[in-house]
Amino acid sequence: MNKNYYAILMAGGVGSRFWPVSTTEFPKQFHDMLGSGHTLIQKTFSRLSKLIPAENIFILTNELYNDLVLEQLPMVKQEQVLLEPAMRNTAPCILYASLKIQKLNPNAVMVVAPSDHWIEDEDEFANNLKQCFDFCEKEDALMTLGIQPTFPNTGFGYIEFDKSDANPIKKVNQFREKPDYETAKSFLDAGNFLWNGGIFIWSAKSITSAFDKFQPQMSALFLKGNESYNTSSEKDFINQNYASAENVSIDYAVMENAKNVYVLPATFDWNDLGTWGQLHEKIDKDENNNGVINAKVILENASNNIIRSDANKIIVVDGLHDYIIVDKEGVLMIYPKSKEQDIKRITGLANNL
């Protein structure tokens, strides 16, 4: 395995649209959402470790989840778990991890990957990632893996690449915000738009230089701690300074400003598993399109439902179509799939009960 390959595994999100299974105390990346026998973070770590030495995979997460990470990934040492003392979006934590990795290995190339995505063809993912690493070792490039759109999705940002570029790796023209339906349709018709899946690849040198250029204040803040990174004083420095960083995403902070941005259209199946409906797409279903996870069911006159239970109980459903049915400890949710984006709001209401 190439010792210059590193990964930053993003595992700090709450996944509130998967309530009541995903909660602040125990978010979705630590659940076996697909009923596969492995949690999402375990699947992601395993996928990355096919190409990247396990000791070079760093997990970025909230202090709340430190024990969960170590419990679910027993091969990981404490120093590989980078704890955010405050929620500051993706730019500060990526800069922190990148400076830490650069100090360990100035020749490092790295991938930044969410911990809660579903990728079926893991060998093809590794091939795509290797292609990006090879490019970033030679070029001063900020790269992303773009996902081939399969329908006009209004829930994702899009990447517009240069249509005239015949190379496998394309120059990015611009990032586009989540569109309305008609705009999303026009993106698909144009043929040079990809979904932004939030997977980034670059060398340590390229990303830290980009922060110097576009986020000088943030760069100066984290460079103050350079002497402490990978030493016993790192935690104190981060605890004292991290909350001073601006709350901003890597897209806004760097990617939308840089001119050296490239994209590789991915050749693997991908799903960000952002909602119950997206999970329903990926699990086995019966002849009436009902998907069942960890439940015993009796279904009559029922179709296109997703049913999940963590308890050993029989669930009987009659006359329901297009519903999310989730039984989790003190919560039973029976909710229309068409309103799944509202689950985030319902979570807030439930927390006030």
Side-chain angles (χ1 to χ4, degrees):
M1 279 198 179
N2 192 323
K3 294 271 192 271
N4 291 340
Y5 290 177
Y6 288 77
I8 300 170
L9 191 49
M10 308 289 279
V14 175
S16 53
R17 284 176 297 177
F18 271 110
W19 185 84
V21 169
S22 182
T23 62
T24 304
E25 296 74 32
F26 206 112
K28 69 170 179 174
Q29 58 268 30
F30 301 110
H31 287 277
D32 176 10
M33 296 301 297
L34 292 155
S36 67
H38 300 281
T39 66
L40 293 176
I41 194 171
Q42 287 171 334
K43 292 278 286 179
T44 307
F45 190 95
S46 168
R47 184 164 62 242
L48 291 169
S49 61
K50 289 185 174 186
L51 188 66
I52 299 163
E55 64 273 16
N56 287 2
I57 301 175
F58 290 85
I59 294 92
L60 267 168
T61 192
N62 191 285
E63 286 180 329
L64 285 172
Y65 311 136
N66 184 60
D67 291 348
L68 276 172
V69 169
L70 295 174
E71 180 187 317
Q72 294 200 2
L73 302 173
M75 71 294 286
V76 163
K77 298 186 177 75
Q78 179 66 68
E79 54 264 32
Q80 288 170 256
V81 186
L82 311 190
L83 302 174
E84 303 166 77
M87 300 287 263
R88 284 294 178 274
N89 216 313
T90 51
C93 60
I94 287 172
L95 175 57
Y96 163 37
S98 300
L99 287 169
K100 183 178 167 71
I101 289 168
Q102 185 175 38
K103 192 179 173 192
L104 283 171
N105 183 349
N107 298 316
V109 287
M110 67 189 84
V111 58
V112 178
S115 61
D116 53 1
H117 289 182
W118 176 93
I119 291 171
E120 187 166 16
D121 190 342
E122 298 195 342
D123 290 337
E124 198 57 31
F125 170 78
N127 291 338
N128 282 188
L129 189 52
K130 175 74 166 62
Q131 211 175 333
C132 294
F133 279 159
D134 289 347
F135 189 79
C136 291
E137 281 182 321
K138 298 188 192 83
E139 307 287 339
D140 176 21
L142 306 177
M143 277 201 71
T144 181
L145 273 170
I147 311 301
Q148 299 281 4
T150 51
F151 67 99
N153 194 318
T154 58
F156 297 145
Y158 284 71
I159 302 160
E160 180 186 352
F161 62 84
D162 184 351
K163 213 170 189 174
S164 65
D165 194 337
N167 296 305
I169 292 169
K170 316 286 187 187
K171 190 89 167 61
V172 170
N173 284 349
Q174 61 181 324
F175 288 83
R176 303 288 286 265
E177 295 298 312
K178 294 174 184 176
D180 59 29
Y181 183 75
E182 288 305 318
T183 307
K185 269 180 69 177
S186 73
F187 288 171
L188 261 68
D189 293 340
N192 60 324
F193 285 81
L194 302 163
W195 288 337
N196 182 359
I199 304 170
F200 302 103
I201 306 95
W202 41 55
S203 66
K205 184 181 178 188
S206 289
I207 190 59
T208 53
S209 297
F211 270 101
D212 277 344
K213 184 174 181 181
F214 300 114
Q215 298 295 326
Q217 200 171 346
M218 192 184 296
S219 189
L221 172 70
F222 282 97
L223 278 169
K224 280 195 309 182
N226 215 36
E227 289 301 310
S228 71
Y229 296 146
N230 310 313
T231 74
S232 58
S233 59
E234 177 181 325
K235 187 172 169 57
D236 282 345
F237 172 79
I238 289 299
N239 284 342
Q240 287 165 25
N241 292 278
Y242 194 89
S244 302
E246 188 184 348
N247 187 347
V248 62
S249 73
I250 189 69
D251 298 76
Y252 281 117
V254 173
M255 300 301 280
E256 293 181 9
N257 298 303
K259 300 289 181 243
N260 57 333
V261 181
Y262 295 83
V263 63
L264 175 67
T267 54
F268 51 84
D269 286 337
W270 171 94
N271 192 306
D272 81 333
L273 293 184
T275 66
W276 286 108
Q278 286 169 333
L279 179 61
H280 182 249
E281 288 173 26
K282 292 302 166 195
I283 59 174
D284 292 336
K285 291 173 276 290
D286 67 13
E287 65 277 9
N288 295 310
N289 209 38
N290 295 299
V292 180
I293 305 169
N294 301 337
K296 299 171 185 172
V297 295
I298 297 170
L299 301 173
E300 295 186 348
N301 185 30
S303 65
N304 206 35
N305 301 299
I306 179 166
I307 302 152
R308 180 189 166 110
S309 173
D310 283 348
N312 186 23
K313 65 174 70 169
I314 296 168
I315 296 176
V316 181
V317 179
D318 189 344
L320 278 185
H321 308 275
D322 297 304
Y323 268 77
I324 301 159
I325 302 158
V326 183
D327 175 51
K328 175 75 163 62
E329 293 166 358
V331 179
L332 173 62
M333 182 175 76
I334 303 165
Y335 207 75
K337 258 211 274 168
S338 61
K339 295 175 68 177
E340 65 178 4
Q341 295 295 340
D342 287 351
I343 290 175
K344 206 169 184 174
R345 180 179 60 81
I346 298 299
T347 308
L349 296 176
N351 289 337
N352 292 327
L353 290 177

